[in-house]
Amino acid sequence: MKVLYIVPYAPSTIRSRPYELILQLVALGHHLTLATPVRNGDTSNEGRWAVDPRVRIVTGSLSRFDRLLALGGAAVRGLPLQARFDWSTSFAHRLRRLVDAETFDVVHVEHMRGAAYGLPLLRRTPVVWDSVDCISDLFERAARQSASRQTRWIARAELGRTRRYESSLPWRFDHTVVTSAADRDGLLRLAARRRRANRRAQPRVSVVQQGVDAERFMPALASAHRDPETVVMTGKMSYHANVTAAQFLVQAVMPIVWSSCPTARVVLAGADPSPEVRALGAANPDRVVVTGFVDDLNPILNTASVAVAPLVYGVGMQNKVLEAMACGTATIVTSSAASALHARDGHELLVADGAEKFASRILELFSRPERARSIGAAGRAYVVSEHTWAKSAEVLAGVYESAIEARALSGT
């Protein structure tokens, strides 16, 4: 199968979904062309974005001026900013010329930020949209629960436009995929508001769940030492949901832990820590470490006593949870972070909501290292069995075949 895979940002081990799915699709024998706009117009070395030598790379320029122009156009047209955040007119033209010149069996386009690149190509070939998450659900929760007043204001301002735009997309694309059943249900609820006459009974929306590279994220040797009374949270630390989670952890949960265990430490590991996250470390320099970007999270996850994902709100399936579990580190999450998983509370991980309960779970694992080891081992077994990228790629390839078949039957 010949696939044009369009992403609004270059895949990497941090942006692992497109990176890993492309690798696995190539391993299945498909022919991939990866297309992505490049920030600040630097297309001088397209090869650096290659995830595999068998993947052809097509890039386009995305300058600051392009972005400002696109965001201004979105505001004028009543579109959400997400719909044009990574828009480059020159790159869109390049994609159309590419599809005119070559025959692709299917086009794959990722995220709301990339959706607009796929819409003009629908006249030429089947297009699958990887929504990843239901962004309207994310904004609705951020508007109510973010610790940042600015984030709450932006989410409220964008929510109506986001709902209108996102509700139309599953009807327009041949097939839509998301990371979790909750996100699928969210998109179908939105789409029901925009039901169209003389079209399918409902949009085609399938779950292609997140995976984890269990060879990259794996337990250290059995004799390896874990730092006592150390809690680690990983993730991109500029992302608003992670910022709120880090503040909840350090400001609400850890004071309860410290009252019983004053030597406990917190490690906040992830790229681009916001001023609010850096302030958590500055205010508690002996107890809170903010690492910034870490090239390899494995050692940090393997030396912590406990990994946590204290998300106050969020959508989709959390990579940070899968990676911690893959390392065999006992993991505590809120119900928000656990909602997309089939892992059992008390077996493969621990679920806790509210500062008191979350703190008690941390203290439980501190005091019972054998319990932490048992949960960590069960968590590792769960993700190795249920969350492989190979399995996700097989599901995605099936979606491609379904989209191609449906297009052929429709005669369009």
Side-chain angles (χ1 to χ4, degrees):
M1 191 182 303
K2 191 174 179 182
V3 182
L4 174 60
Y5 202 114
I6 305 168
V7 289
Y9 28 63
S12 68
T13 53
I14 294 176
R15 300 190 187 279
S16 61
R17 184 173 175 85
Y19 183 90
E20 297 288 353
L21 287 174
I22 288 170
L23 286 177
Q24 294 298 329
L25 288 168
V26 169
L28 289 172
H30 302 294
H31 302 279
L32 271 289
T33 296
L34 167 64
T36 182
V38 179
R39 304 296 187 278
N40 304 323
D42 181 11
T43 60
S44 59
N45 184 7
E46 294 186 352
R48 87 179 99 166
W49 293 283
V51 297
D52 186 281
R54 293 167 291 180
V55 177
R56 181 173 58 154
I57 306 296
V58 174
T59 62
S61 173
L62 177 61
S63 68
R64 292 184 179 89
F65 178 75
D66 289 328
R67 175 167 286 169
L68 288 173
L69 189 64
L71 292 177
V76 170
R77 297 171 60 189
L79 295 172
L81 298 182
Q82 288 282 327
R84 286 293 187 272
F85 195 80
D86 289 295
W87 177 258
S88 163
T89 300
S90 62
F91 180 57
H93 289 328
R94 184 172 188 184
L95 292 175
R96 292 173 203 174
R97 291 193 300 270
L98 179 64
V99 173
D100 284 340
E102 298 184 35
T103 299
F104 291 94
D105 296 299
V106 67
V107 171
H108 176 128
V109 60
E110 185 181 279
H111 205 275
M112 184 184 291
R113 293 184 180 186
Y117 290 120
L119 292 172
L121 307 181
L122 282 163
R123 296 189 299 273
R124 298 163 172 82
T125 186
V127 182
V128 171
W129 176 46
D130 186 354
S131 169
V132 185
D133 305 321
C134 180
I135 301 300
S136 296
D137 282 357
L138 176 63
F139 280 10
E140 181 180 358
R141 294 166 193 175
R144 291 185 283 107
Q145 297 174 283
S146 174
S148 164
R149 181 180 299 176
Q150 181 182 24
T151 297
R152 293 195 303 271
W153 182 87
I154 292 172
R156 289 166 187 161
E158 284 288 288
L159 184 54
R161 291 190 290 270
T162 301
R163 281 177 175 155
R164 286 191 296 274
Y165 184 70
E166 193 171 31
S167 66
S168 73
L169 294 177
W171 291 110
R172 301 173 74 179
F173 288 107
D174 294 276
H175 210 119
T176 298
V177 297
V178 290
T179 62
S180 75
D183 291 278
R184 178 192 60 204
D185 294 345
L187 279 182
L188 289 174
R189 282 195 304 271
L190 282 173
R193 304 178 182 183
R194 298 284 292 268
R195 191 178 303 280
R196 295 181 175 189
N198 304 316
R199 292 293 299 271
R200 327 188 265 274
Q202 72 173 16
R204 299 182 184 94
V205 183
S206 299
V207 175
V208 177
Q209 65 181 9
Q210 295 290 83
V212 64
D213 184 345
E215 295 183 0
R216 178 176 172 228
F217 292 95
M218 61 187 305
L221 297 174
S223 59
H225 172 73
R226 288 191 180 271
D227 294 337
E229 301 165 353
T230 300
V231 176
V232 62
M233 174 185 164
T234 63
K236 188 175 181 183
M237 291 298 166
S238 59
Y239 175 50
H240 54 88
N242 287 343
V243 173
T244 294
Q247 290 176 303
F248 169 68
L249 174 64
V250 174
Q251 296 174 341
V253 174
M254 291 309 298
I256 302 170
V257 173
W258 285 323
S259 67
S260 298
C261 184
T263 57
R265 296 172 62 249
V266 175
V267 178
L268 303 175
D272 305 324
S274 70
E276 294 87 352
V277 172
R278 291 197 299 271
L280 297 174
N284 302 271
D286 296 328
R287 290 173 163 173
V288 179
V289 177
V290 179
T291 68
F293 173 77
V294 176
D295 185 58
D296 184 3
L297 288 170
N298 215 54
I300 292 176
L301 288 168
N302 267 289
T303 54
S305 308
V306 179
V308 297
L311 292 180
V312 178
Y313 66 91
V315 293
M317 190 171 288
Q318 305 298 320
N319 284 357
K320 62 178 74 66
V321 176
L322 299 179
E323 291 165 357
M325 294 172 73
C327 287
T329 305
T331 304
I332 307 172
V333 301
T334 57
S335 56
S336 176
S339 62
L341 303 174
H342 300 294
R344 298 168 296 169
D345 180 19
H347 295 269
E348 291 90 10
L349 47 63
L350 297 179
V351 180
D353 290 311
E356 291 280 353
K357 184 60 180 281
F358 212 97
S360 72
R361 292 288 210 178
I362 291 174
L363 290 168
E364 173 190 351
L365 294 182
F366 279 179
S367 64
R368 299 178 60 190
E370 74 290 346
R371 168 92 162 130
R373 284 192 293 271
S374 174
I375 290 174
R380 164 78 182 179
Y382 163 77
V383 297
V384 168
S385 172
E386 300 296 326
H387 292 279
T388 67
W389 284 116
K391 185 182 295 186
S392 295
E394 289 175 359
V395 174
L396 181 58
V399 168
Y400 292 164
E401 291 171 1
S402 176
I404 294 166
E405 181 180 357
R407 179 67 74 95
L409 290 173
S410 71
T412 58

